[in-house]
Amino acid sequence: MTKKQIELCAEDISAVEKPANRARLVKAPEHFISQELIADINSNGLDETRRGFLRKGFLSAIGGAAAGLASPMAFAAGEGDPAILEKQEWQTTLGKNVATMPYGVPSIYEANLIRRESPGLTRVSAASVAFTPLQGLFGTITPNGLHFERHHQGWYNLNPETHRLMVNGMVKNARVFTMNDLMRLPSVSRTHFIECGANTGLEWGNVAVPTVQYTHGMLSCCEFTGVPLKVLLEECGADLKKGKFLLAEGGDGSGMTRTINLESCLEDTIVAWSMNGEMLRPENGFPLRLVVPGVQGVSWVKWLRRLEVGDMPWNAKDEAVHYIELMPDGMHRQYASIQECKSVITTPSGGQQLLDKGFYNVSGMAWSGRGKIRRVDVSFDGGNNWRQARLETPVLTKSITRFNIDWVWDGSPAILQSRAVDDTGYIQPSIKVLRDLRGNRSIYHNNAIQSWKLDSNGEVSNVQVG
Amino acid sequence: MYKLDKLFARVTVAGLAALSIQFAYAQNTQGSVKFPGIGRNATPAEVMAWDIDVRPDFKGLPKGSGSVEQGQVIWEAKCASCHGVFGESNEIFTPIAGGTTTDDIKTGRVASLADRKQPQRTTLMKVPTVSTLWDYIYRAMPWNAPRSLTPDDTYALVAFILSLGEIVPDDFVLSDANIADVQKKMPNRNGMTRNHGFWSVNGKPDVNGSSCMTNCVKFVQIGSTLPDFARNAHGNIAEQNRLYGPYRGSDSTKPPIDKLPGSSGEGLAHAADTHAATTKGPAALFKNENCSACHAPNAKLVGPSIADIASKYKGQSGAQEKLMAKVKNGGSGVWGAIPMPPQAQLSDEDRATLVRWVLTGQ
């Protein structure tokens, strides 16, 4: 198959202007005086008001030129880059004191990378989702302020002094722990991804949202610190032979409850208070949440206040009405928990704009709820041919792995895809394979290969192939 | 010899462990085994106060009863504003009743889930167990006042919901004595399966991808794209990306550009143009102080819309003061039965700003 056969909403590549001279000269500003002002001066002569208008026009023209010149490639040959030749404000004046920002905030130039709600997704913000801006992140760790949010009845700043954790049910002793108690216990710190079961769920039927923030942004990855669940249960004398299930309950208005399958989650579940070295943020469950690696985010109960050991699943509201998947035969899949192997290219991704042809580092994230990422392949022609990407270390279990691949873009349209494989041998499927089996009325567990279409004008958009 | 050594070591360790357990028990009457001084036993009253969950076998269900008729009264006062008088709302939350038939009650499978004739899946089409309804209503409803219902209120509300689905007759009284029998009539009680690979980490996946590396497909066909009219549906994407670096955001307020911008990004926004992307002012205050949990600009949610409030008070003298007092102290009865809780956390200044904004849009 030749490139020409690939149907890419064919654009005429020859129409794309080839940059003849890379060292461009920014043209002198013209027409910065309006035709009206010229006519006005011609008929009425120059007075102070009109001089003022002129002065303003000159100043903005000069300002505009200076801003243009600040671009690295835009200076006359033989001179040099003003960013190098001219002294900058930060080299010639005194900067701010230490601890001017005692807890620190990102640069003002990073103000665009924030959590966002998808307009129209929910009617009330207290039971809604705010997505992580994956399009601007690097590496594998999600900054705490950008960790995605999903609440069922709004969030509170819980007072850690009065917060209690109760362990009851099939235990020798029902016990109560304060935060002081819990934080005295031996703790572990482990890096894991958390993904909402509904991540990418908007796209089961068709392309619905423009950017990776909305397609995949119910995904975050942090280092969590806390006491292993097993230690706590053993401390209370839990009957782990008959007690195969755990009810985790939140301290919020929804009293969020989830059944945890102890058989598969006992070993690596953490009762956690810290995220990336600081205490959990209120939006993410301060002061205590459950961390259930590999399992959909709804089970990572926030504001955790109670753990009950039992011998059957609880069939809580979010296990019987939501977080169930409708199959074509009308059956619902219940307790689908594991987030299966998945990946997505984040740069470039939907809604982004490439500046020029040439070399690009194409990068993205891969993860699996069953273990480690073994490899990631990337296609630039809509899945016809694939190349193996580089995996960044560390490659951790049930954690995000960053992948990179070199690419020289020749300016022609392309479709970018990534396909992850985990250490169980599971290969990330296409959306077609998923729909053929599960239909298109599911909401949860869409781990399909994502396609981004790159047009010859450099714009990237969200598409589905097949 | 080696094996014997190992055995001896094991026996010793086990013996020591047993000793230390006894020692710990002796030291700590609160029951801690390994971590003396950490935690304490819960009192029966404490367990009773928190252990409110109700399982499908009705373990945890408190005694009590409630009729459909009582349920309807509570429903109309506390539930209908979000869920509709007949549980039909799809405005704020998904519909509760509808889509089930008397045949479904016999089979335990909701037929419309397979035939696609229902436009939306209602709660009664999905939920297989009555315990789920009881548990959730008691623990988390109403939306703006969770844990304010008594067990009898809850029985009555569950009875009313079941009557909407014609699972129980209109004169039914639901109680802890008959709830298990009612559960046997749930229309979708046989509609759930755990026969899939991802309840357990060792489960078998239902699908798998292809490992093909070259010439994998005959024809690459794009099956779905965003329509042109949705280009700016999520706001300006340029303002959701870095304004520097190789990957910028497309200006979605405008049609796609004709050609590549070039390596300097000529014509695109630059870092110097960055503005704070977060909204400020009364609209942000309205959201951050949780007013938006109950009030929307133009539609009735739990409470009246901003537009309705503004038009009701239009031209009234002292409207600003009147509403400010209402925000501070709460109120009820003006817009229906659901009370507006007092918002004592607001400063006078914020209260004034919010009320002015609601009344004038300024």
Side-chain angles (χ1 to χ4, degrees):
Chain A
M1 191 178 83
T2 68
K3 206 173 257 170
K4 274 183 188 166
Q5 287 171 308
I6 301 174
E7 192 185 65
L8 290 166
C9 305
E11 258 131 324
D12 184 3
I13 297 160
S14 65
V16 176
E17 193 189 59
K18 286 180 186 135
N21 178 8
R22 295 213 158 230
R24 281 186 205 84
L25 185 66
V26 172
K27 282 183 190 169
E30 289 168 11
H31 308 307
F32 58 88
I33 307 172
S34 72
Q35 291 302 316
E36 289 78 11
L37 184 57
I38 293 167
D40 184 38
I41 292 169
N42 284 344
S43 58
N44 298 313
L46 262 176
D47 59 11
E48 232 4 77
T49 314
R50 295 186 179 94
R51 268 184 229 281
F53 280 128
L54 269 179
R55 230 175 273 130
K56 233 196 244 167
F58 273 118
L59 281 175
S60 71
I62 292 161
L69 282 170
S71 302
M73 298 298 282
F75 53 85
E79 291 174 18
D81 186 349
I84 297 170
L85 297 179
E86 289 170 12
K87 288 171 187 162
Q88 310 290 339
E89 188 200 357
W90 44 89
Q91 297 171 302
T92 54
T93 51
L94 183 61
K96 289 186 171 62
N97 291 334
V98 299
T100 300
M101 298 192 185
Y103 206 138
V105 289
S107 159
I108 55 166
Y109 298 111
E110 287 290 286
N112 286 351
L113 278 308
I114 55 170
R115 291 190 283 236
R116 288 170 198 278
E117 283 181 79
S118 179
L121 184 60
T122 57
R123 287 294 299 273
V124 283
S125 287
S128 189
V129 178
F131 298 81
T132 294
L134 300 179
Q135 69 275 17
L137 300 189
F138 307 97
T140 60
I141 298 292
T142 310
N144 284 343
L146 297 179
H147 190 296
F148 80 91
E149 287 179 71
R150 199 272 185 258
H151 316 310
H152 295 81
Q153 217 142 345
W155 63 267
Y156 270 104
N157 247 314
L158 268 64
N159 182 349
E161 276 296 320
T162 55
H163 190 69
R164 305 284 181 262
L165 175 70
M166 183 186 288
V167 182
N168 71 319
M170 298 170 74
V171 295
K172 201 167 180 182
N173 300 300
R175 287 181 72 76
V176 174
F177 300 92
T178 62
M179 289 306 296
N180 302 343
D181 287 332
L182 294 169
M183 292 166 78
R184 274 167 72 181
L185 289 169
S187 62
V188 294
S189 297
R190 293 197 194 117
T191 303
H192 292 296
F193 78 83
I194 168 171
E195 182 183 23
C196 175
N199 201 26
T200 325
L202 293 166
E203 307 239 322
W204 261 109
N206 51 254
V207 166
V209 289
T211 72
V212 73
Q213 177 157 19
Y214 305 110
T215 58
H216 289 74
M218 285 194 272
L219 170 76
S220 296
C221 185
C222 298
E223 185 196 61
F224 293 95
T225 299
V227 54
L229 171 69
K230 200 177 178 181
V231 168
L232 216 49
L233 291 186
E234 281 172 356
E235 176 69 4
C236 300
D239 181 351
L240 295 176
K241 283 211 173 98
K242 287 184 193 144
K244 295 277 182 228
F245 303 97
L246 183 77
L247 182 78
E249 183 182 86
D252 59 327
S254 75
M256 186 68 196
T257 39
R258 287 297 300 190
T259 300
I260 310 296
N261 181 2
L262 279 179
E263 228 163 357
S264 85
C265 302
L266 184 62
E267 291 308 319
D268 53 7
T269 298
I270 306 169
V271 175
W273 51 80
S274 165
M275 186 164 95
N276 291 336
E278 64 176 20
M279 285 299 283
L280 290 161
R281 297 277 174 108
E283 313 91 280
N284 301 115
F286 176 87
L288 203 64
R289 88 173 303 170
L290 203 61
V291 168
V292 196
V295 167
Q296 59 186 355
V298 66
S299 295
W300 297 40
V301 172
K302 294 183 286 193
W303 315 290
L304 182 72
R305 75 165 198 176
R306 195 166 67 91
L307 296 168
E308 181 177 344
V309 181
D311 55 4
M312 65 184 289
W314 271 262
N315 223 35
K317 187 263 280 177
D318 285 277
E319 301 169 342
V321 179
H322 310 299
Y323 300 90
I324 51 175
E325 292 193 88
L326 182 57
M327 296 295 108
D329 65 355
M331 287 295 277
H332 280 106
R333 283 183 173 177
Q334 199 179 17
Y335 296 110
S337 301
I338 306 295
Q339 294 298 110
E340 289 189 306
C341 187
K342 187 167 171 181
S343 71
V344 64
I345 293 171
T346 52
T347 48
S349 57
Q352 289 190 329
Q353 170 75 53
L354 268 59
L355 303 181
D356 212 342
K357 300 173 194 177
F359 181 86
Y360 285 91
N361 182 45
V362 170
S363 184
M365 300 162 164
W367 62 100
S368 167
R370 295 194 202 267
K372 288 181 185 173
I373 292 299
R374 181 186 287 168
R375 68 181 274 161
V376 177
D377 300 317
V378 173
S379 170
F380 295 97
D381 59 6
N384 192 36
N385 296 288
W386 298 83
R387 279 201 285 141
Q388 192 174 346
R390 293 186 301 273
L391 300 187
E392 251 181 57
T393 53
V395 178
L396 300 169
T397 186
K398 301 172 189 177
S399 178
I400 283 176
T401 297
R402 171 68 62 172
F403 65 86
N404 292 287
I405 191 164
D406 298 342
W407 191 42
V408 177
W409 183 42
D410 65 2
S412 42
I415 295 178
L416 280 66
Q417 299 179 332
S418 65
R419 178 181 75 188
V421 184
D422 71 15
D423 60 1
T424 70
Y426 178 89
I427 306 164
Q428 187 183 1
S430 68
I431 185 74
K432 187 178 179 304
V433 167
L434 282 171
R435 280 207 198 107
D436 284 350
L437 190 92
R438 299 189 200 158
N440 60 5
R441 294 197 291 166
S442 287
I443 295 170
Y444 307 94
H445 298 283
N446 178 359
N447 65 326
I449 289 171
Q450 171 68 41
S451 304
W452 304 118
K453 175 166 167 272
L454 172 59
D455 281 327
S456 49
N457 66 353
E459 199 171 301
V460 187
S461 60
N462 184 10
V463 299
Q464 285 184 353
V465 168
Chain B
M1 192 64 208
Y2 168 75
K3 272 185 183 165
L4 265 179
D5 269 359
K6 217 170 166 184
L7 182 70
F8 178 72
R10 267 196 211 143
V11 170
T12 315
V13 168
L16 276 173
L19 264 178
S20 69
I21 286 167
Q22 278 172 1
F23 178 73
Y25 268 124
Q27 287 293 301
N28 190 339
T29 49
Q30 294 285 4
S32 173
V33 175
K34 205 171 169 188
F35 305 106
I38 306 276
R40 62 170 177 80
N41 283 352
T43 70
E46 286 172 340
V47 175
M48 210 165 89
W50 273 15
D51 188 2
I52 62 165
D53 60 83
V54 178
R55 302 200 309 192
D57 61 354
F58 299 107
K59 185 177 165 287
L61 183 74
K63 284 195 185 330
S65 67
S67 67
V68 172
E69 208 181 339
Q70 290 162 335
Q72 185 169 9
V73 174
I74 305 168
W75 180 271
E76 280 168 15
K78 297 187 173 177
C79 317
S81 64
C82 286
H83 295 293
V85 173
F86 302 105
E88 79 286 5
S89 169
N90 58 7
E91 272 288 293
I92 305 165
F93 299 110
T94 45
I96 288 183
T100 59
T101 65
T102 46
D103 231 32
D104 297 341
I105 293 170
K106 280 182 213 144
T107 60
R109 286 286 304 275
V110 171
S112 58
L113 287 171
D115 69 14
R116 288 172 167 259
K117 281 179 189 149
Q118 281 294 321
Q120 213 174 353
R121 279 181 286 165
T122 69
T123 300
L124 287 185
M125 285 166 70
K126 295 184 278 186
V127 65
T129 41
V130 181
S131 61
T132 305
L133 295 174
W134 206 101
D135 177 87
Y136 186 66
I137 292 169
Y138 186 61
R139 78 170 50 244
M141 286 291 118
W143 162 252
N144 63 348
R147 308 268 161 101
S148 60
L149 299 169
T150 66
D152 284 349
D153 289 346
T154 310
Y155 277 106
L157 284 169
V158 173
F160 177 70
I161 289 171
L162 294 172
S163 79
L164 289 176
E166 294 174 0
I167 299 161
V168 300
D170 292 348
D171 58 357
F172 194 75
V173 180
L174 183 71
S175 71
D176 56 288
N178 63 16
I179 197 166
D181 293 329
V182 174
Q183 188 151 287
K184 290 175 196 153
K185 295 203 281 179
M186 290 300 276
N188 202 40
R189 63 186 179 277
N190 300 323
M192 298 282 171
T193 175
R194 263 183 258 163
N195 185 21
H196 55 71
F198 34 119
W199 171 219
S200 157
V201 93
N202 301 318
K204 192 176 178 304
D206 57 347
V207 297
N208 214 341
S210 154
S211 60
C212 175
M213 292 300 281
T214 51
N215 293 324
C216 303
V217 284
K218 285 196 188 111
F219 195 76
V220 176
Q221 187 167 14
I222 293 176
S224 177
T225 57
L226 272 186
D228 289 341
F229 67 79
R231 185 171 167 80
N232 200 41
H234 279 69
N236 190 351
I237 304 298
E239 293 172 2
Q240 303 178 23
N241 279 271
R242 290 203 168 78
L243 295 176
Y244 60 94
Y247 303 111
R248 312 291 176 85
S250 318
D251 183 347
S252 52
T253 62
K254 299 185 185 116
I257 53 174
D258 295 332
K259 58 186 175 87
L260 283 167
S263 56
S264 63
E266 216 172 299
L268 298 180
H270 283 273
D273 308 335
T274 298
H275 58 279
T278 41
T279 50
K280 292 187 182 72
L285 197 59
F286 187 79
K287 186 183 169 191
N288 296 339
E289 291 298 336
N290 252 8
C291 316
S292 64
C294 296
H295 302 279
N298 283 305
K300 188 185 178 308
L301 295 183
V302 179
S305 74
I306 300 172
D308 285 347
I309 301 170
S311 76
K312 183 184 169 89
Y313 285 91
K314 200 170 182 187
Q316 280 190 30
S317 66
Q320 170 87 16
E321 290 69 29
K322 225 189 272 180
L323 259 189
M324 276 181 69
K326 215 162 235 183
V327 173
K328 187 173 187 175
N329 305 318
S332 69
V334 182
W335 298 95
I338 295 229
M340 155 109 180
Q343 306 294 325
Q345 82 285 5
L346 287 172
S347 71
D348 288 350
E349 193 190 331
D350 283 351
R351 216 151 37 88
T353 307
L354 276 169
V355 169
R356 195 178 312 115
W357 181 72
V358 165
L359 290 175
T360 66
Q362 307 290 314

